[in-house]
Amino acid sequence: MSSDLEKLRNIGIMAHIDAGKTTVTERVLYYTGKTYKMGEVHNGTAVMDFMEEEQKRGITITSAATKCPWKGFGINLIDTPGHIDFTAEVERSLRVLDGAVAVFDGSEGVQAQSETVWRQGQKYDLPCLCFVNKMDKTGADFEMTVDSIRGKLLANPILLQLPIGAGDSFAGVIDLIKMQAVFYKTEKMGATFEETEIPAEMQEIARQHRNEMIELAAEHDAELMDNYVHDKPVDVEMITGAIRKGTLSGKLHPLFVGSALKYIGVQRLLDGVVAYLPSPLDRNVLTGHKPGDPNKTISIECDHNGSMVALAFKITSDVHGDLSFLRIYQGSLKSGSRVLNVNRNRRENITRIFEMHANERKVLDAAGAGDIVAVVGLKQTLTGDTICDPKKPVCLPSITFPQTVMNMSIEPRTSAEKAKLGDALADLRREDPTFECRTDPETGQTIISGMGELHLEVLQHKLIREKGVNVRVGKPRVAYREAITKTVQAEGKFVRQTGGHGQYGHVVLRIEPLLTEDGHWTTGVEFENTAGADAVPREYVPDVERGCRDALGSGALAGYPVVGVKVTLIDGSFHSVDSSGLAFEQAGSRALEKAVAEAEPVLLEPVMRLQVVVPLANFGAVQGNLLAKRGVITSCRAHGNMQVFDAKAPLIETFGYSSEIRSVTAGRGTFTMEPLNYEKVPDQIAKQIIF
């Protein structure tokens, strides 16, 4: 149990794919004494990438947690994936953390996924440090990277360090607070370093940047401002205190620089984590609500002595039962205790508690507020569920995840493996909230849905290697949606008269498009009741909503779910004897089906945001290829001898794009993409899909 919450840091490492997150994490583990051998991603020996699939591909697929000591502080560290297909891992990790370190490639600056993870961090108001990594890489450009952080992320980086050289000449860093140069001993894997005077040719630029740093910091501390304006002495503690205030308020983003691969700058980054990122006590008080009554709020304070409240943010299946990762927000948790899952209204047992180090476990007797632990014993719990003291129930805000964009059929190769497949898919569904599976009513096939081709491919390999189920898969298909284009009112009745007790339900609904500010359909569905209790009794309203949501699941054009719609129950009638929940559910379903058919439905397709990097000589060919795919280029810039452009294109047109771009650019072109929104499918293409 953490005895001193002020000396606890819960942080995540986040970045674009290949920016060096896992390498930074491996150096952190080595320098903090958590590991005694340096792991390397390119050798498949990274401690935090412990899955076979991660080691083979050299990428992070699941977020891995560990706890390490640094100068009297305890750091709970989560290394998150960079690939957009595994964005759920980032989302659920950031939801339970107190701060983050954003890693940037010094030669690329802010990339597409950098923007995504930054937005995710801002959504949860996470104070954030910036680490400009890979300064040893050819083409590294520190100023360009800092400018892109300011311009693309609208962040306010405060430079605490400057690089000495770049690319092959990158030798060390200048500490602007202490005004000294730091050179790391690569033969000692950077474990030792030498602090010297700043090289003469860099002293003037260091002084300029130090003045800018103090000006920015002084805006957040009156004493520092007074000393700076009146040319009084300014000491290190005063500067760090002001930077900490600005960081905790989200107004400043301290920026560090280095090369994790060359062992430069990671210890100073760790110093920054404990100096500037918040402890659990520094975070805003979390607000929950009384179960079943969202209007009755309850404050959750980070206190060991309060009633226990925790959030389950990750589930992994294990041969000995599910391993549930919890962030404890209040109170303490003991092994062998009985808890309440508020979301499922089920009492569960905490059999054992573990402190995790990647896939290794250290048994704990208890854990307290502020801790991130894994437990065994929770059988009904899913990601986003609140676990609390049964005597004082409280519900925390859950975690929301993006909708799936790609489908694929899957079937066992033998009938004997059919039951095994069902159990394995249930395990995957518990582990991964962005994974869905259903049975196609027309073909009887099992359809799995995910966030992209890589996501579905990894899930397929998981089924075969980890779950031991031999499966055959179809080609990936786009997860289309349907939407309505006009407001319609419709009536639905369900009346059955038999000899005895009959059935009677009658509703009048209005449906209208639900659009974002920029005119695109949302991916959600809203339901509102404005009918009086004399028209539809309150106890039947949830049944009407259930019937409407079921009907929206099958669409009106091609059987795809309807999204971006607001349903309002405006009127109806009931029978004092014959009315029932089932009757109103059927009436709601009928009214909804009728309304959607009359509301001029259209087919929607997922559109992706792309960032493409190609040699200047190949730009014309790549541009023409993308335009032929119904792509639209939104911005374009030169970066060295490469052309970088942002674009958007329908997901279906991007299938196989990686091999096409490699072919056109002789293997030098790359691209990344992420879901952007859903847009209307052109009529000519929609006809081919529907018919």
Side-chain angles (χ1 to χ4, degrees):
M1 189 183 293
S2 304
S3 56
D4 188 355
L5 286 170
E6 288 182 0
K7 294 203 166 183
L8 181 65
R9 300 289 183 269
N10 293 317
I11 68 161
I13 309 285
M14 61 184 195
H16 182 89
I17 192 168
D18 285 339
K21 295 176 306 304
T22 302
T23 304
V24 169
T25 307
E26 293 299 317
R27 302 302 183 254
V28 167
L29 297 180
Y30 181 76
Y31 298 136
T32 59
K34 194 71 183 178
T35 57
Y36 299 98
K37 184 181 176 188
M38 198 84 79
E40 300 290 358
V41 175
H42 53 270
N43 292 335
T45 57
V47 174
M48 302 298 268
D49 285 352
F50 55 85
M51 286 173 57
E52 183 186 343
E53 198 74 20
E54 292 177 313
Q55 292 167 354
K56 266 183 61 186
R57 295 174 183 270
I59 63 171
T60 303
I61 291 171
T62 63
S63 52
T66 188
K67 187 169 186 178
C68 45
W70 184 252
K71 298 184 178 179
F73 288 77
I75 301 175
N76 279 319
L77 177 67
I78 296 181
D79 176 31
T80 64
H83 199 286
I84 187 61
D85 282 22
F86 310 109
T87 186
E89 291 289 332
V90 184
E91 186 78 31
R92 61 181 169 191
S93 299
L94 297 182
R95 167 69 174 79
V96 298
L97 293 172
D98 299 322
V101 176
V103 180
F104 302 93
D105 185 324
S107 68
E108 302 290 346
V110 172
Q111 296 167 277
Q113 187 65 4
S114 311
E115 296 181 55
T116 303
V117 296
W118 188 269
R119 282 197 306 271
Q120 287 174 302
Q122 295 302 296
K123 183 165 82 174
Y124 298 116
D125 295 323
L126 288 188
C128 193
L129 305 186
C130 301
F131 182 63
V132 179
N133 190 28
K134 298 194 177 185
M135 281 304 297
D136 61 308
K137 190 175 167 184
T138 303
D141 187 335
F142 180 68
E143 288 185 8
M144 177 276 296
T145 302
V146 174
D147 287 344
S148 68
I149 291 171
R150 282 198 191 99
K152 289 190 172 183
L153 303 182
L154 303 179
N156 191 17
I158 177 169
L159 275 57
L160 308 190
Q161 297 177 342
L162 294 177
I164 300 174
D168 292 338
S169 65
F170 181 56
V173 300
I174 293 173
D175 185 330
L176 293 175
I177 295 180
K178 295 182 179 178
M179 283 301 278
Q180 56 189 201
V182 187
F183 296 95
Y184 292 80
K185 309 284 188 184
T186 53
E187 65 273 13
K188 300 270 189 176
M189 291 188 171
T192 59
F193 49 85
E194 183 185 358
E195 295 174 341
T196 66
E197 281 193 14
I198 296 170
E201 68 274 13
M202 294 195 70
Q203 285 184 0
E204 181 58 33
I205 193 167
R207 272 194 294 272
Q208 288 176 13
H209 279 288
R210 189 173 197 269
N211 285 336
E212 290 172 10
M213 174 191 73
I214 294 173
E215 278 183 26
L216 276 172
E219 294 176 13
H220 305 278
D221 186 275
E223 185 185 0
L224 177 60
M225 177 66 82
D226 184 65
N227 284 23
Y228 179 66
V229 169
H230 295 98
D231 290 327
K232 295 179 187 174
V234 173
D235 59 28
V236 169
E237 288 73 24
M238 200 180 290
I239 296 172
T240 54
I243 294 171
R244 179 174 176 79
K245 285 180 187 174
T247 307
L248 296 185
S249 67
K251 304 250 176 81
L252 291 179
H253 303 102
L255 188 139
F256 297 80
V257 64
S259 166
L261 188 66
K262 299 295 183 185
Y263 320 113
I264 297 175
V266 176
Q267 292 99 317
R268 284 292 204 278
L269 177 64
L270 278 167
D271 291 340
V273 166
V274 299
Y276 306 120
L277 289 182
S279 74
L281 296 174
D282 295 318
R283 295 287 281 151
N284 294 333
V285 174
L286 190 65
T287 303
H289 64 82
K290 187 177 177 183
D293 187 359
N295 297 319
K296 181 119 186 219
T297 58
I298 300 170
S299 293
I300 311 295
E301 297 187 12
C302 190
D303 178 8
H304 289 315
N305 300 317
S307 60
M308 198 282 294
V309 182
L311 186 77
F313 69 94
K314 181 178 167 78
I315 314 291
T316 59
S317 62
D318 189 82
V319 287
H320 304 297
D322 284 353
L323 194 64
S324 306
F325 287 75
L326 304 179
R327 163 69 193 262
I328 304 172
Y329 285 101
Q330 181 177 279
S332 58
L333 185 65
K334 295 178 182 174
S335 58
S337 59
R338 189 100 163 129
V339 296
L340 173 68
N341 180 330
V342 178
N343 302 74
R344 317 280 153 206
N345 196 23
R346 295 284 183 92
R347 297 207 175 199
E348 303 222 55
N349 297 314
I350 302 291
T351 312
R352 301 178 88 184
I353 304 174
F354 301 105
E355 180 185 294
M356 298 300 293
H357 174 51
N359 60 338
E360 296 172 13
R361 309 173 187 184
K362 175 185 169 186
V363 179
L364 302 175
D365 293 325
D371 282 334
I372 293 175
V373 294
V375 301
V376 171
L378 301 176
K379 298 189 185 302
Q380 305 289 330
T381 300
L382 296 176
T383 299
D385 286 357
T386 303
I387 306 298
C388 66
D389 185 335
K391 294 175 185 171
K392 294 187 177 177
V394 58
C395 191
L396 295 175
S398 192
I399 311 172
T400 55
F401 297 101
Q403 286 200 337
T404 57
V405 296
M406 196 172 285
N407 300 331
M408 187 166 72
S409 63
I410 188 166
E411 57 187 35
R413 289 188 182 273
T414 64
S415 56
E417 293 195 312
K418 197 167 184 179
K420 275 172 69 179
L421 176 62
D423 292 341
L425 290 175
D427 285 347
L428 292 182
R429 183 72 189 90
R430 283 202 307 278
E431 287 183 19
D432 187 347
T434 57
F435 168 71
E436 294 175 1
C437 59
R438 61 183 173 84
T439 302
D440 188 316
E442 292 182 11
T443 64
Q445 283 183 310
T446 299
I447 306 295
I448 62 173
S449 305
M451 298 304 298
E453 285 182 274
L454 180 60
H455 187 202
L456 291 177
E457 191 180 324
V458 167
L459 289 170
Q460 178 193 345
H461 290 171
K462 231 177 182 183
L463 282 170
I464 295 169
R465 292 191 187 127
E466 292 180 23
K467 309 295 182 186
V469 184
N470 199 355
V471 293
R472 183 167 45 230
V473 299
K475 287 184 179 178
R477 296 180 299 180
V478 170
Y480 291 102
R481 297 287 185 266
E482 295 180 22
I484 59 171
T485 56
K486 68 178 197 177
T487 301
V488 166
Q489 187 171 303
E491 183 179 26
K493 272 189 178 182
F494 183 75
V495 182
R496 290 284 185 276
Q497 290 299 333
T498 57
H501 182 64
Q503 297 283 359
Y504 183 91
H506 170 223
V507 297
V508 181
L509 304 174
R510 181 178 66 245
I511 63 171
E512 54 194 297
L514 204 56
L515 304 174
T516 60
E517 289 180 3
D518 56 359
H520 292 104
W521 284 273
T522 68
T523 54
V525 173
E526 290 182 11
F527 182 88
E528 184 182 357
N529 173 33
T530 60
D534 56 336
V536 180
R538 294 280 178 265
E539 66 265 28
Y540 297 136
V541 172
D543 299 297
V544 176
E545 181 176 357
R546 192 181 308 112
C548 291
R549 290 186 181 275
D550 286 348
L552 287 171
S554 55
L557 291 173
Y560 294 106
V562 180
V563 297
V565 60
K566 180 179 180 181
V567 182
T568 307
L569 174 59
I570 56 176
D571 201 2
S573 62
F574 70 101
H575 190 281
S576 56
V577 176
D578 289 349
S579 284
S580 66
L582 175 64
F584 273 99
E585 185 178 331
Q586 290 293 320
S589 179
R590 290 182 176 190
L592 203 285
E593 286 176 4
K594 193 187 301 181
V596 169
E598 295 173 5
E600 297 179 5
V602 293
L603 199 63
L604 304 182
E605 63 182 345
V607 172
M608 311 300 283
R609 177 163 57 190
L610 286 79
Q611 187 173 81
V612 186
V613 183
V614 295
L616 283 168
N618 303 121
F619 175 63
V622 173
Q623 182 186 35
N625 177 264
L626 190 63
L627 293 175
K629 293 179 174 295
R630 297 192 280 135
V632 176
I633 295 175
T634 54
S635 69
C636 192
R637 61 197 175 279
H639 178 51
N641 61 349
M642 304 293 277
Q643 191 80 19
V644 181
F645 61 91
D646 298 310
K648 64 176 188 174
L651 173 62
I652 193 166
E653 302 285 0
T654 65
F655 285 9
Y657 188 51
S658 54
S659 56
E660 286 181 37
I661 202 168
R662 280 198 297 269
S663 173
V664 172
T665 62
R668 295 177 63 203
T670 60
F671 81 101
T672 55
M673 67 178 183
E674 61 173 337
L676 177 62
N677 54 34
Y678 272 85
E679 294 184 8
K680 181 177 178 288
V681 179
D683 293 340
Q684 205 58 36
I685 297 172
K687 284 177 185 174
Q688 297 170 13
I689 296 168
I690 294 169
F691 302 108

